[in-house]
């Protein structure tokens, strides 16, 4: 995006006189905002050094942090099955998938750092409950089939949500999402394939798959967030092109994709109202239990405390390791500095 | 067990090396979601995946990989006792990695130079284990020369696992061409170097005790191993004959 950078913008142009609290005149602020809005409307990318409204920055940090937190909390329900995976092939696939999620967390925390917010700061907010992660991970993985249901439905819903973010107005986020979406689509295929093996397996395996789909279907629909008329951040995010489709649009898209996939899996979806609506060209589906959604969001889901507890514990128990790495790095830097000064003294004498 | 050939020496060696990789991979997999820093979630999983890949190739030289992993009893596993030891704190995991990966790297480097049945696998594994070794050495330096606490923990871990290292150099059926004494010499030299650079002390306790040395290779394991297998095998065993 071609926009006013801080160097050419208010900081360089203005002294202390005649500035408002942010160090810029009202006029210049309005010009910058107008240039920003025009660039975003023209689908240009915003880059880290470009001027951006504080609320845009805050909104992105909030969304990217929540996304990063979801990746690392999302490792837990699946890691729950690594040690019990029923074949070595499945074990390798699951381990690689959980590893990918850690990698996604890394990309996203790094992308958030381009907005001036450190990973430590964001992790503190996750651990203290000031920032959220996707509520879906507050549900338990009770059987092996849950690993498949998460891949097929949860990753499927995530992809539906995330593919449009590859065109998000903020460059580093959009670029991170391109890579993440490629890996997520692989995850979804493995979930589908895992469920297919179960569905076509023994009677017990088929029942295990159906039970998992029954439990994960509704929470997956809730992943798109509250209905459009109740979504707190949607309108502004759409205007800023952080978000490109409404929650309800994406939810409908997901349902329309999932229904034929369930059929080919030989599994049913737990919604008696689910049926094709010729007139709309979409599937109608039953009412979502939003009371449950808000309740889980508030902290009353089956695993909220367990998930955040494990995250905090891993962080606290790992503090001495991070401290050691930091202390070692400092010692190394100090030694290099000493060696460098000694070298300079040597040169000076010569 | 059908289709399993443990009669030849090559199969015996494949089983020993395969079990080492399988069991250590499992232990490292237990770290998922518990690592001290995100980069280590990625690194430990990476090492676990490399080892699991090695295990699958080696076990497939013996028989059906899943039958071997999920349907053998504790006494039939041929892995070193070192690799089955619980993760403990991060220092224990690193000490276990250091002892094992230096040994594995030296062993595979030697096997890769030969033209025996393990040469093709070793050619690939030597690159993987070079990374595992570097990872363990880099952390040994950081923990040893980090803070007082990390130094104490790393020293305690090296000492606690020392008694399991004698078994690394016991003869393995099917690997008769490997000069164990020379392997031990290279291992000891590498360990001495990294431990000294880290400001730590190489433990000097016994490592050839009657129980520990060579026991794992004969199917004698430590108590925690049975529980580990119970967890690893329960789902597979609960559905006899099922495909996954």
């Amino acid at each position: 995006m071609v926009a006013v950078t801080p160097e050419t913008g208010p900081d360089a142009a203005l002294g202390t006189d005649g500035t408002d609290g942010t160090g810029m005149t009202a006029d210049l602020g309005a010009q910058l905002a107008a240039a920003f809005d025009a660039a975003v409307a023209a689908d240009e990318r915003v880059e880290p050094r470009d001027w951006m409204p504080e609320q845009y920055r805050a909104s992105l940090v909030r969304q990217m942090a929540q996304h990063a937190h979801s990746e690392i909390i999302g490792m837990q329900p699946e890691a729950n099955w690594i040690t019990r995976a029923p074949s070595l092939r499945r074990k390798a696939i699951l381990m690689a998938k959980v590893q990918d999620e850690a990698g996604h967390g890394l990309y996203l925390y790094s992308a958030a750092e381009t907005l001036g917010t450190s990973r430590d700061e964001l992790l503190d907010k996750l651990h203290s409950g000031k920032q959220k992660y996707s509520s879906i991970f507050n549900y338990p993985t009770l059987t092996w089939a849950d690993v498949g249901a998460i891949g097929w439905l949860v990753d499927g819903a995530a992809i539906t949500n995330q593919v449009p973010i590859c065109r998000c107005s903020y460059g580093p986020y959009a670029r991170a999402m391109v890579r993440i979406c490629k890996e997520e689509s692989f995850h979804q295929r493995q979930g589908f394939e895992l469920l297919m093996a179960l569905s076509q397996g023994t009677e017990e395996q088929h029942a295990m798959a159906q039970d998992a789909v029954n439990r994960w279907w509704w929470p997956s629909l809730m992943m798109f967030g509250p209905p459009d008329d109740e979504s707190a951040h949607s309108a502004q995010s759409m205007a800023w092109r952080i978000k490109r489709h409404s929650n309800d649009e994406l939810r409908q898209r997901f349902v329309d994709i999932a229904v034929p996939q369930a059929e080919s899996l030989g599994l049913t979806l737990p919604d008696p109202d689910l049926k094709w609506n010729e007139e709309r060209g979409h599937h109608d589906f039953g009412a979502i239990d939003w009371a449950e959604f808000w309740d889980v969001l508030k902290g009353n889901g089956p695993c909220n405390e367990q998930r955040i507890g494990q995250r905090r514990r891993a962080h606290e128990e790992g503090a001495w390791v991070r401290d050691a790495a930091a202390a070692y790095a400092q010692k190394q830097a100090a030694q290099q500095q000493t060696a460098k000064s000694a070298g300079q003294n040597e040169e000076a004498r010569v | 067990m059908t289709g399993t050939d443990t009669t030849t020496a090559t199969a015996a060696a494949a089983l020993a090396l395969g079990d080492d990789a399988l069991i250590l991979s499992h232990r490292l997999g237990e770290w998922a979601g518990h690592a001290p820093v995100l980069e280590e979630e990625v690194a430990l999983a990476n090492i676990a995946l490399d080892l699991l890949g090695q295990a699958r190739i080696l076990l497939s030289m013996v028989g059906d990989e899943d039958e071997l992993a999920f349907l053998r009893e504790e006494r039939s596993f041929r892995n070193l006792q070192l690799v089955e030891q619980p993760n403990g704190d991060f220092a224990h995991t690193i000490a276990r990695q250091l002892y094992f990966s230096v040994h594995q790297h030296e062993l595979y480097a030697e096997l890769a130079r030969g033209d025996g049945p393990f040469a093709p696998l070793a050619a690939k594994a030597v690159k993987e284990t070079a990374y595992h070794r570097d990872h363990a050495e880099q952390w040994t330096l950081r923990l040893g020369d980090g803070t007082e606490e990390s130094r104490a923990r790393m020293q305690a871990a090296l000492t606690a696992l020392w008694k399991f290292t004698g078994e690394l150099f016991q003869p393995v059926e099917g690997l008769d061409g490997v000069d164990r004494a020379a392997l031990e010499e290279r291992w000891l030299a590498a360990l001495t170097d990294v431990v000294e650079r880290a400001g730590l002390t190489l433990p000097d306790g016994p490592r050839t005790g009657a129980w520990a040395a060579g026991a794992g290779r004969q199917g004698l394991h430590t108590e925690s191993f049975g529980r580990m297998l119970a967890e690893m095998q329960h789902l597979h065993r609960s559905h006899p004959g099922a495909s996954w």
Side-chain angles (χ1 to χ4, degrees):
Chain A
M1 156 174 170
V2 185
V4 184
T5 66
E7 283 74 16
T8 58
D11 297 344
L14 294 172
T16 49
D17 291 343
T19 62
D20 65 7
T22 62
M24 69 174 76
T25 63
D27 268 3
L28 190 55
Q31 278 172 28
L32 288 168
F36 176 87
D37 288 344
V40 167
D43 264 343
E44 287 176 28
R45 284 277 160 86
V46 181
E47 296 298 336
R49 293 167 63 82
D50 294 334
W51 183 90
M52 62 188 83
E54 274 315 302
Q55 272 178 307
Y56 174 85
R57 184 186 299 273
S59 190
L60 271 172
V61 168
R62 182 186 55 77
Q63 185 176 332
M64 288 157 79
Q66 178 167 332
H67 191 168
H69 299 333
S70 302
E71 295 284 356
I72 65 168
I73 294 280
M75 294 169 71
Q76 290 182 29
E78 293 181 279
N80 183 35
W81 282 94
I82 287 179
T83 54
R84 292 176 289 172
S87 74
L88 296 186
R89 174 172 168 265
R90 292 287 175 202
K91 189 172 184 165
I93 293 170
L94 182 56
M95 247 196 296
K97 180 175 193 285
V98 174
Q99 184 194 33
D100 281 350
E101 280 150 15
H104 296 175
L106 276 176
Y107 307 155
L108 290 164
Y109 286 120
S110 301
E113 280 180 347
T114 65
L115 292 167
T117 313
S118 72
R119 195 201 306 180
D120 283 348
E121 209 177 310
L122 295 179
L123 283 176
D124 283 347
K125 286 184 175 160
L126 169 66
H127 298 152
S128 64
K130 285 186 191 135
Q131 285 180 342
K132 302 273 184 211
Y133 54 89
S134 177
S135 254
I136 192 81
F137 300 120
N138 291 318
Y139 289 87
T141 47
L142 300 179
T143 73
W144 170 251
D146 290 33
V147 171
I150 288 185
W152 176 44
L153 294 174
V154 175
D155 291 335
I159 293 166
T160 312
N161 261 332
Q162 290 170 5
V163 164
I165 305 177
C166 298
R167 295 184 294 123
C168 152
S169 58
Y170 188 59
Y173 191 25
R175 288 188 289 274
M177 289 314 298
V178 170
R179 191 160 168 187
I180 289 174
C181 284
K182 278 183 193 161
E183 293 179 354
E184 290 293 350
S185 83
F186 177 76
H187 295 173
Q188 197 209 5
R189 284 206 298 278
Q190 73 80 33
F192 184 86
E193 194 251 346
L194 190 162
L195 286 177
M196 186 67 97
L198 294 179
S199 181
Q200 296 180 345
T202 65
E203 228 172 275
E204 289 86 357
Q205 285 176 308
H206 181 89
M208 195 192 277
Q210 184 62 61
D211 168 62
V213 168
N214 291 349
R215 281 182 288 109
W216 288 93
W217 173 250
W218 290 108
S220 299
L221 293 192
M222 295 176 198
M223 282 177 71
F224 296 93
D228 294 345
D229 49 4
E230 290 171 37
S231 177
H233 303 288
S234 279
Q236 182 61 74
S237 288
M238 300 264 281
W240 276 330
R241 307 222 169 167
I242 295 173
K243 201 170 163 166
R244 291 191 173 256
H245 306 281
S246 79
N247 294 352
D248 288 331
E249 270 171 45
L250 291 169
R251 191 169 7 249
Q252 180 70 60
R253 185 179 296 178
F254 173 71
V255 171
D256 289 339
I257 292 171
V259 170
Q261 290 181 345
E263 274 166 28
S264 58
L265 281 172
L267 298 170
T268 59
L269 295 170
D271 179 358
D273 298 327
L274 192 65
K275 60 174 181 297
W276 177 252
N277 182 326
E278 193 65 53
E279 208 173 298
R280 291 202 307 125
H282 291 291
H283 291 87
D284 290 336
F285 52 97
I288 293 170
D289 182 358
W290 291 110
E292 175 179 322
F293 173 78
W294 294 113
D295 206 33
V296 176
L297 197 70
K298 266 187 283 179
N300 301 322
C303 300
N304 299 57
E305 283 165 28
Q306 179 188 331
R307 299 285 185 245
I308 205 69
Q310 179 178 326
R311 182 87 267 297
R312 276 196 210 123
R313 207 159 44 246
H315 192 72
E316 284 160 15
E317 286 173 4
W320 70 270
V321 177
R322 297 190 302 276
D323 290 348
Y328 178 82
Q330 265 179 5
K331 287 182 198 178
Q332 292 293 305
Q335 273 173 20
Q336 274 177 10
Q337 191 57 43
T338 312
K340 205 172 148 192
S341 332
Q344 281 166 352
N345 290 343
E346 197 64 28
E347 268 172 40
R349 272 199 292 278
V350 174
Chain B
M1 207 169 293
T2 55
T4 301
D5 180 10
T6 49
T7 56
T8 68
T10 298
L15 197 60
L17 299 179
D19 283 351
D20 283 350
L22 177 73
I23 301 307
L24 186 56
S25 166
H26 184 93
R27 284 298 191 201
L28 290 172
E30 292 174 354
W31 270 105
H34 299 275
V37 63
L38 208 40
E39 283 80 354
E40 282 306 298
E41 293 283 2
V42 177
L44 294 171
N46 208 52
I47 297 169
L49 278 165
D50 285 345
L51 290 168
L52 185 53
Q54 295 167 12
R56 295 182 65 190
I57 293 170
L58 287 159
L59 294 181
S60 297
M61 291 169 76
V62 183
D64 178 88
E65 60 175 27
D66 286 335
E67 279 186 24
L68 287 163
F70 296 103
L71 297 178
R72 269 182 303 160
E73 303 271 336
E74 187 179 344
R75 296 278 279 107
S76 304
F77 277 83
R78 292 290 177 264
N79 56 284
L80 299 161
Q81 289 187 349
L82 174 67
V83 297
E84 77 202 29
Q85 295 311 304
N87 288 334
D89 66 2
F90 188 70
H92 276 74
T93 290
I94 292 301
R96 193 182 61 199
Q97 284 304 113
L98 182 70
Y99 289 155
F100 183 73
S101 65
V102 172
H103 158 265
Q104 207 194 17
H105 183 235
E106 294 291 344
L107 176 65
Y108 279 134
E110 185 167 336
L111 292 174
R113 283 191 294 270
D115 55 3
F118 298 107
L121 165 86
K124 179 164 181 277
V126 75
K127 292 178 198 152
E128 295 169 348
T129 53
Y131 163 71
H132 305 174
R133 175 179 179 163
D134 185 47
H135 174 264
E137 289 181 353
Q138 292 299 325
W139 271 115
T140 301
L141 294 175
R142 278 156 184 75
L143 298 184
D145 193 17
T147 63
E148 268 310 300
E149 181 182 4
S150 70
R151 198 194 60 77
R153 282 178 183 260
M154 191 63 210
Q155 187 62 60
L158 287 172
T159 305
L161 294 171
W162 183 246
K163 68 175 172 185
F164 297 106
T165 59
E167 196 178 1
L168 293 166
F169 308 103
Q170 295 293 312
V172 176
E173 190 192 349
L175 293 181
D176 308 326
V178 176
D179 183 343
R180 310 306 295 191
L183 187 65
E184 182 164 15
E185 214 170 288
R186 291 201 298 278
W187 181 86
L188 208 50
L191 257 292
T192 305
D193 174 60
V194 66
V195 162
E196 273 177 14
R197 278 192 291 140
L200 297 160
T201 317
L202 205 62
D204 57 1
R207 54 194 187 101
T208 49
W211 183 260
R217 295 281 188 237
Q218 295 156 27
L220 289 169
H221 296 280
T222 47
E223 282 189 349
S224 68
F225 185 55
R227 281 193 299 279
M228 195 209 94
L229 281 189
E231 183 173 340
M232 181 174 110
Q233 297 181 335
H234 114 267
L235 179 59
H236 184 97
R237 283 179 182 266
S238 301
H239 298 263
S243 308
W244 300 94

